[in-house]
Amino acid sequence: MERASGCEGTLSDMDDAPARAAALNDYHAAEVVDCVRCPLAQTRTQVVLGSGDPNADVLFVGEAPGYHEDKHGVPFVGAAGKLLDKLLGGIGLTREQVFVANVLKCRPPGNRDPLAAEIEACEGHLFRQVGIIQPKLICTLGNFATKLISGRPDGISRVHGNELPIAIGGHKLLLYPLYHPAAALYMPSMLATLEADFARIPGLIGAAAPTPIVVGDAAPPPTDAFRSSADVDRSEVAVVAAAREPAAEPQQLGLF
Ligand code: URA
């Protein structure tokens, strides 16, 4: 499945790590730091670009910066971020080994859900980040990121844990939708599912390598493609927004 992206700047010849890091820095400085593509520019403290390794195999995509991210300029620094760190640790990864970004680079006031117009204005930044980083795997966290990257309306409760081969700007990769960590903070059953889905990430990174020559019965099983559904999992959307509120600090949630 080819995902139309607007990431014309895919840097297919950029196989050198420092060059990729420089390209990402240059893009951020030239196009993102002072972005005024939507009205969130007027209410943000700063743009939250993303953080981690520009050469990472795995790109995590969340929803939007919340109160803490807006203050610090770094994604996932609140309660959901602490859970993300813990989940990464559980599969032997650190934040420094992956790249973490959001659908929106600026905080929606009051941590409301992203608006369609804001997503449309901002998506070019994310697709350009994908084009430069060229990850093997994009793990979308929650509904907004999953729908944007897949280009499909399927709700996260239906598609989580189901990898889908896609191409963004000609770059082939695996999309792997996951529940948003903020949702799992509120629902312990979701946390168990999220942990189980996370456990498959190392294997998927390996599987996402260039297609191997398959001999005889060694062919991999067909990928479980997304089921078709127009559901929006509103319960998940609501708790994700709530968790971006300043009040949703770890000690107040009593979850860490
Ligand atoms: N923090 C982020 O950076 N993104 C989210 O989606 C939630 C919290």
Side-chain angles (χ1 to χ4, degrees):
M1 171 185 179
E2 169 76 30
R3 177 81 179 91
S5 71
C7 74
E8 302 77 23
T10 297
L11 303 172
S12 53
D13 55 344
M14 190 168 298
D15 49 8
D16 154 61
R20 197 170 294 209
L24 194 62
N25 274 339
D26 289 350
Y27 177 67
H28 287 164
E31 303 285 341
V32 196
V33 168
D34 297 317
C35 179
V36 289
R37 291 184 188 180
C38 85
L40 294 181
Q42 282 138 41
T43 52
R44 71 184 180 220
T45 303
Q46 58 193 311
V47 174
V48 180
L49 301 166
S51 69
D53 181 3
N55 293 280
D57 285 339
V58 190
L59 170 64
F60 287 85
V61 182
E63 188 173 303
Y67 175 86
H68 298 286
E69 289 78 18
D70 177 68
K71 290 279 168 277
H72 294 279
V74 178
F76 283 94
V77 291
K82 289 187 171 59
L83 177 55
L84 178 61
D85 289 346
K86 201 173 156 192
L87 290 162
L88 285 171
I91 55 169
L93 289 174
T94 65
R95 265 303 178 101
E96 292 69 35
Q97 292 174 300
V98 302
F99 199 89
V100 180
N102 281 306
V103 169
L104 294 189
K105 307 295 185 230
C106 300
R107 181 194 180 210
N111 296 336
R112 62 160 169 71
D113 288 348
L115 303 176
E118 293 162 353
I119 295 173
E120 197 181 335
C122 204
E123 66 178 29
H125 292 320
L126 179 62
F127 285 122
R128 189 66 187 270
Q129 289 175 319
V130 172
I132 295 171
I133 297 168
Q134 298 194 352
K136 292 179 178 173
L137 190 65
I138 295 184
C139 295
T140 47
L141 302 172
N143 267 316
F144 284 95
T146 301
K147 290 176 184 189
L148 176 62
I149 298 290
S150 71
R152 298 167 71 152
D154 307 283
I156 191 65
S157 60
R158 289 180 181 270
V159 301
H160 74 87
N162 291 316
E163 69 273 27
L164 183 72
I166 61 169
I168 296 180
H171 171 62
K172 291 182 183 157
L173 55 93
L174 275 185
L175 165 61
Y176 188 52
L178 299 166
Y179 280 126
H180 196 289
L185 286 175
Y186 285 84
M187 295 182 214
S189 61
M190 208 178 264
L191 178 58
T193 304
L194 186 55
E195 285 169 341
D197 288 347
F198 252 77
R200 292 192 56 225
I201 290 176
L204 290 174
I205 296 171
T211 314
I213 296 171
V214 178
V215 181
D217 291 335
T223 313
D224 186 2
F226 290 176
R227 280 155 284 183
S228 181
S229 161
D231 299 9
V232 179
D233 186 343
R234 295 306 306 173
S235 58
E236 200 254 6
V237 169
V239 294
V240 170
R244 285 192 275 109
E245 293 290 348
E249 276 295 89
Q251 56 275 37
Q252 288 161 309
L253 290 167
L255 291 163
F256 294 96

Coordinates of all heavy atoms in Angstrom, one line a residue, residues 19 48 50 81 83 91 96 111 145 163 165 178 198 210 220 252:
A19 N 25.0 12.7 8.0 CA 24.3 13.5 7.0 C 22.8 13.5 7.3 O 22.1 14.5 7.1 CB 24.5 12.9 5.6
V48 N 7.4 21.4 19.5 CA 8.0 20.2 20.0 C 8.3 19.3 18.7 O 7.5 18.7 18.1 CB 7.0 19.4 20.9 CG1 7.7 18.2 21.4 CG2 6.6 20.4 22.1
G50 N 10.4 16.7 18.2 CA 10.7 15.3 18.2 C 12.0 15.1 18.9 O 12.8 16.0 18.9
G81 N 4.8 9.6 29.0 CA 6.2 9.4 28.6 C 6.9 8.5 29.5 O 7.8 7.7 29.0
L83 N 5.6 6.0 31.1 CA 5.2 4.6 30.7 C 5.8 4.2 29.4 O 6.3 3.1 29.2 CB 3.6 4.6 30.6 CG 3.1 3.2 30.1 CD1 3.6 2.1 31.1 CD2 1.6 3.3 30.1
I91 N 11.6 -4.0 26.3 CA 12.1 -4.7 25.1 C 13.5 -4.3 24.8 O 14.0 -4.4 23.7 CB 11.2 -4.4 23.9 CG1 11.0 -2.9 23.6 CG2 9.8 -5.0 24.1 CD1 10.4 -2.5 22.3
E96 N 16.9 7.0 23.5 CA 17.9 7.5 22.7 C 18.1 6.6 21.4 O 18.7 7.0 20.5 CB 19.3 7.5 23.4 CG 19.3 8.6 24.5 CD 18.4 8.3 25.7 OE1 18.2 7.1 26.1 OE2 17.9 9.3 26.3
N111 N -5.3 21.1 25.9 CA -5.1 19.7 25.5 C -6.3 19.1 24.9 O -6.5 17.9 25.0 CB -4.6 18.8 26.7 CG -3.3 19.3 27.3 OD1 -2.5 19.9 26.6 ND2 -3.1 19.0 28.6
A145 N -2.6 9.2 15.3 CA -1.4 8.9 14.5 C -1.6 7.7 13.6 O -1.2 7.7 12.4 CB -0.2 8.5 15.4
E163 N 0.5 -5.4 12.2 CA 1.4 -4.7 11.3 C 0.9 -4.6 9.9 O 0.2 -5.5 9.4 CB 2.8 -5.3 11.3 CG 2.9 -6.7 10.7 CD 2.6 -7.8 11.6 OE1 1.8 -7.6 12.6 OE2 3.1 -8.9 11.4
P165 N 2.3 -3.5 5.9 CA 3.4 -2.9 5.1 C 2.8 -1.7 4.3 O 1.8 -1.8 3.7 CB 3.7 -4.0 4.1 CG 3.0 -5.3 4.6 CD 1.9 -4.8 5.5
L178 N -0.3 0.9 17.9 CA -0.4 0.5 19.3 C -1.3 1.4 20.1 O -1.5 2.6 19.7 CB 1.0 0.7 19.9 CG 2.2 -0.1 19.3 CD1 3.5 0.4 19.8 CD2 2.0 -1.6 19.7
F198 N 4.0 -4.5 22.4 CA 5.3 -4.0 22.5 C 6.3 -5.1 22.3 O 7.4 -5.0 21.7 CB 5.6 -3.2 23.8 CG 5.8 -1.7 23.6 CD1 4.7 -1.0 23.4 CD2 7.0 -1.1 23.6 CE1 4.8 0.4 23.3 CE2 7.2 0.2 23.5 CZ 6.0 1.0 23.3
P210 N 15.2 -5.5 4.4 CA 14.9 -5.8 3.0 C 14.4 -7.2 2.8 O 14.9 -8.1 3.4 CB 16.3 -5.6 2.4 CG 16.9 -4.6 3.3 CD 16.4 -4.8 4.7
P220 N 7.0 -16.3 5.0 CA 6.3 -15.8 6.2 C 4.8 -15.9 6.0 O 4.3 -15.8 4.9 CB 6.8 -14.4 6.2 CG 7.2 -14.0 4.9 CD 7.7 -15.3 4.2
Q252 N -0.3 11.9 40.9 CA -1.7 12.1 41.1 C -2.5 10.9 40.5 O -3.5 10.5 41.0 CB -2.2 13.4 40.4 CG -1.7 14.6 41.1 CD -1.7 15.8 40.2 OE1 -1.2 15.8 39.1 NE2 -2.3 16.9 40.7

